[in-house]
Amino acid sequence: MSEQTLEPGRSAPRRVVVAGAGMAGVRTAVALREQGFTGTVTLIGAEPHQPYDRPPLSKAVLLGKAEDSAFDVDFEELGIELRLGCEVRGLRPGDHELDTEAGPVPYDVLVIATGAEPVRLPGAEGVRGVHLLRTLDDAERLRPVLARQHDVVVVGAGWIGAEFATAAREAGCAVTVVEAAERPLAEALPAEVAAPMTAWYAEAGVALRTHARVERVEAGAVVLDDGSRLPAGAVVVGIGARPATAWLAGSGIELGARDEVAADHHLMTSLPDVYAVGDCASFPSGRYGERLLVHHWDNALQGPRTVATNILAGQAGRGPAVYDPVPYFWSEQFGRFVQYAGHHADADRTMWRGDPADAAWSVCWLRESRLVALLAVGRPRDLAQGRRLIEAGTAMDADLLADPARPLKSATA
């Protein structure tokens, strides 16, 4: 990994270019100004819209309760140049130039923040009535679908599928969710933790079809591999997202196993003067001993501060900052507020706090008595305290932890 931009005494970069105008890109540009960067900051976004936040798309914007979710940032006052409706097409590190559809853009430091793009349903592209939910335009196309109360089929029972199904039911639509796995959130949570969430669908009046694969999508219907035919005035596909990195082909930048930019613990890439942050980048976690690719809002909020700090580290005469957060995520679905902090993959013990049949409960994952992850349903205090305990690496008393009436912070060993 390059250390060029981190060397004390090196002349300060004059031009920082940020590729991607989502949360990670916007927060990087703002953090540079907040930390005193006085050079040129250029923010390049593929969409023509004023940069906006994504979580409201599956909630307020989708239901017509808000027109958009533009960031409350005065880019002109901060001296941040916006180039919107401008797609990045390539990177020539030898020339220190970013190729865009509007021509080359020179940089001293480049920050890659192009995010992720939704996985498309094979064979469904171009079929009328098939939708994704990733962009403001996607939400605006879906809003009249909900207003007309169409029969809706959602493909994928992950986080986005559940959130859209929630909004569609609130709008009065008949909703069927189709999931190829045996349960919702199969890739995100262990079976015993995701199992109680299955009941949420029926309680909300949503038909959930598991072990069900889509064979084809026709006008007005979804046909499953068992031959069953589901009426569908609209089909919403939520089967995951992949890092938006295809434009980096031929640049020489190191990509990871999931085609994400493989950043180091300073969020630097394998190329000189190039950083990567947000959904498009993985980083090595010393806390969890593995490389993490985190497709969540909080990662796009936290990472930019580290990037800005490290861009300015040399001129400030300080060493680089290490990025090793406790991942955090939340979802609002079927009348429940679901929060998750940490990373449970290497846990050796699972502890429940409360009955999953109730409205509020939590699950704690421990490794060698230390809390490494926590899922909280309707228990935000558990999440807030648990997140701090994970960050501190505090040893826990399992017997005390299992008592849902006891605050997490007082269940330490």
Side-chain angles (χ1 to χ4, degrees):
M1 297 293 179
S2 168
E3 297 292 328
Q4 291 187 32
T5 57
L6 302 178
E7 294 172 358
R10 184 176 184 249
S11 61
R14 302 181 308 280
R15 300 168 299 186
V16 176
V17 174
V18 182
M23 169 64 85
V26 167
R27 293 313 307 173
T28 297
V30 171
L32 282 165
R33 292 300 189 221
E34 288 177 342
Q35 295 185 31
F37 179 68
T38 57
T40 300
V41 178
T42 302
L43 184 64
I44 299 175
E47 295 181 56
H49 309 292
Q50 191 76 1
Y52 60 88
D53 203 5
R54 293 190 189 279
L57 297 185
S58 61
K59 306 172 184 71
V61 174
L62 189 61
L63 291 169
K65 297 176 181 179
E67 285 303 309
D68 60 37
S69 55
F71 291 113
D72 185 17
V73 175
D74 190 330
F75 295 99
E76 185 176 354
E77 182 180 344
L78 289 173
I80 296 169
E81 178 192 6
L82 289 181
R83 297 191 187 182
L84 303 177
C86 182
E87 189 172 351
V88 292
R89 292 184 169 173
L91 173 60
R92 289 177 286 113
D95 298 324
H96 265 58
E97 284 189 340
L98 182 71
D99 285 326
T100 77
E101 61 184 0
V105 178
Y107 66 85
D108 293 325
V109 173
L110 173 67
V111 181
I112 298 171
T114 44
E117 55 195 10
V119 176
R120 298 178 182 273
L121 184 65
E125 290 189 53
V127 178
R128 186 176 179 182
V130 177
H131 300 264
L132 299 167
L133 182 51
R134 183 76 183 179
T135 68
L136 181 59
D137 288 341
D138 292 337
E140 290 178 345
R141 280 189 288 266
L142 277 164
R143 199 152 56 180
V145 170
L146 299 194
R148 290 193 293 267
Q149 298 185 336
H150 281 294
D151 289 346
V152 176
V153 173
V154 180
V155 183
W159 299 114
I160 193 66
E163 290 186 1
F164 178 80
T166 299
R169 284 300 296 145
E170 186 175 333
C173 299
V175 182
T176 301
V177 176
V178 175
E179 171 57 52
E182 64 182 9
R183 63 186 186 277
L185 295 168
E187 294 186 6
L189 296 172
E192 69 272 17
V193 177
M197 300 177 177
T198 302
W200 299 356
Y201 288 77
E203 291 172 11
V206 175
L208 175 63
R209 298 281 298 267
T210 56
H211 295 289
R213 293 184 178 276
V214 175
E215 183 174 288
R216 66 183 183 276
V217 179
E218 301 174 348
V222 173
V223 181
L224 303 182
D225 58 0
D226 65 0
S228 56
R229 184 184 182 89
L230 306 175
V235 179
V236 177
V237 180
I239 53 176
R242 59 169 63 97
T245 57
W247 64 278
L248 291 166
S251 68
I253 200 165
E254 181 186 346
L255 299 181
R258 292 156 289 188
D259 290 329
E260 83 284 6
V261 179
D264 70 6
H265 56 289
H266 302 305
L267 295 181
M268 296 186 70
T269 75
S270 60
L271 295 178
D273 304 315
V274 180
Y275 293 80
V277 66
D279 289 3
C280 67
S282 65
F283 56 90
S285 171
R287 187 188 309 275
Y288 292 106
E290 61 181 280
R291 179 168 286 276
L292 299 182
L293 176 60
V294 181
H295 278 187
H296 295 316
W297 182 90
D298 191 66
N299 179 52
L301 177 69
Q302 303 292 344
R305 286 195 284 267
T306 299
V307 170
T309 296
N310 290 339
I311 289 173
L312 295 168
Q315 71 184 82
R318 60 177 180 253
V322 170
Y323 189 60
D324 194 9
V326 173
Y328 169 69
F329 172 70
W330 85 95
S331 176
E332 296 177 70
Q333 51 184 267
F334 308 120
R336 294 166 173 85
F337 187 42
V338 183
Q339 296 171 282
Y340 178 91
H343 182 63
H344 65 265
D346 66 347
D348 54 32
R349 189 171 185 182
T350 304
M351 301 291 299
W352 291 79
R353 286 170 57 81
D355 186 342
D358 294 339
W361 47 276
S362 297
V363 179
C364 299
W365 286 272
L366 305 177
R367 180 167 179 80
E368 297 175 353
S369 83
R370 300 184 186 279
L371 191 65
V372 294
L374 182 140
L375 175 79
V377 177
R379 291 180 65 100
R381 185 174 297 178
D382 273 8
L383 191 288
Q385 295 180 8
R387 193 176 182 182
R388 289 192 289 269
L389 291 166
I390 295 169
E391 288 173 347
T394 306
M396 307 299 294
D397 182 312
D399 292 333
L400 299 179
L401 188 66
D403 179 2
R406 176 183 289 273
L408 263 177
K409 64 183 180 182
S410 68
T412 56

